[in-house]
Each structure stands twice: as structure tokens, then as C-alpha cells.
Amino acid sequence: MDLAFAERFAGEWVAAWNSHDLERVLAHYTDDVVFASPRIVQLMGGSSGEVRGKDALCAYWAEGLRQLPDLHFTVEDVRASVDTVVINYRNERGQAVAEVLTFREELVCRGFGAYGPEA
């Protein structure tokens, strides 16, 4: 993992999200991806805050796009680690968010979203 890959990935990732093309977003993830977020509990109800597998991730994000038709991300910073990319961005409400994504063979296999206070 290097910063050039991380920045290229973040550019593709944010463009996919801002297009609201769920298939384009999901193309960056492995079939066995595990993703955790406090938003999972809010959108899916009674959840553990974690989804497992691309189908479950698709269902979660489809609901998110349905409930947030004006969803838009603005990347502020990108960082790289050994096998992980951190994308710091602001959502459509101006809220600071960090997306931490671990990779296997250039696809995300595990991730989590961490949210700051609303703007």
C-alpha cells in the first residue's frame, strides 16, 4: 500500500458515491467484506452495527441512498498504512467522517465508518 494508490482509490471511491451508482461503489469490495458503522444500527434497526458480505453491504447502502437522496461526500484527506487506507471526508451535512478500509488484493475486505459531530 502506498499513498499514490490510496489517493487514486479515494478519488474513484468518492466519484462512485457521488454518482449514487451502488454497483460502482460495491465494485471496490470483496464478496466477503465486513463493514461496521453506527449508521448500520440507525438505518437497519436492531443491528449489531456490522454487516457481513457484499449482499448485506448492498442492502445497507441501498437503504442509505434511499433515505439520503442528497448524499454527497467531499474528501479532505487520505492516508495510507500497510494494507489500509483512511479517507477523511465531509458528508452532505458537513459532518466529519473517517472511512477506514483494509485491503486484500486491491479490494476492500474490511472497513468501518467513524463519525464526528454534525456541522
Side-chain angles (χ1 to χ4, degrees):
M1 182 70 56
D2 61 23
L3 191 55
F5 172 86
E7 289 174 338
R8 187 173 57 253
F9 176 86
E12 294 169 4
W13 177 88
V14 75
W17 272 112
N18 289 342
S19 74
H20 294 204
D21 183 341
L22 192 50
E23 290 305 315
R24 188 173 164 196
V25 175
L26 288 166
H28 295 109
Y29 296 81
T30 62
D31 289 339
D32 63 344
V33 64
V34 176
F35 194 83
S37 170
R39 297 289 191 251
I40 294 170
V41 174
Q42 293 170 348
L43 292 175
M44 307 303 280
S47 170
S48 67
E50 184 175 274
V51 293
R52 294 181 169 271
K54 195 182 270 190
D55 290 343
L57 189 60
C58 180
Y60 160 52
W61 283 342
E63 181 61 18
L65 287 171
R66 186 188 73 73
Q67 290 188 26
L68 298 167
D70 61 340
L71 181 136
H72 182 85
F73 299 158
T74 303
V75 173
E76 294 188 329
D77 184 55
V78 178
R79 298 170 191 222
S81 186
V82 175
D83 61 355
T84 301
V85 170
V86 179
I87 303 171
N88 295 305
Y89 66 94
R90 296 237 174 226
N91 63 21
E92 69 285 347
R93 295 179 308 278
Q95 184 177 29
V97 184
E99 197 93 359
V100 181
L101 306 170
T102 301
F103 286 75
R104 182 174 65 234
E105 298 176 14
E106 298 194 0
L107 292 175
V108 177
C109 61
R110 181 153 184 86
F112 67 88
Y115 294 80
E118 298 253 352

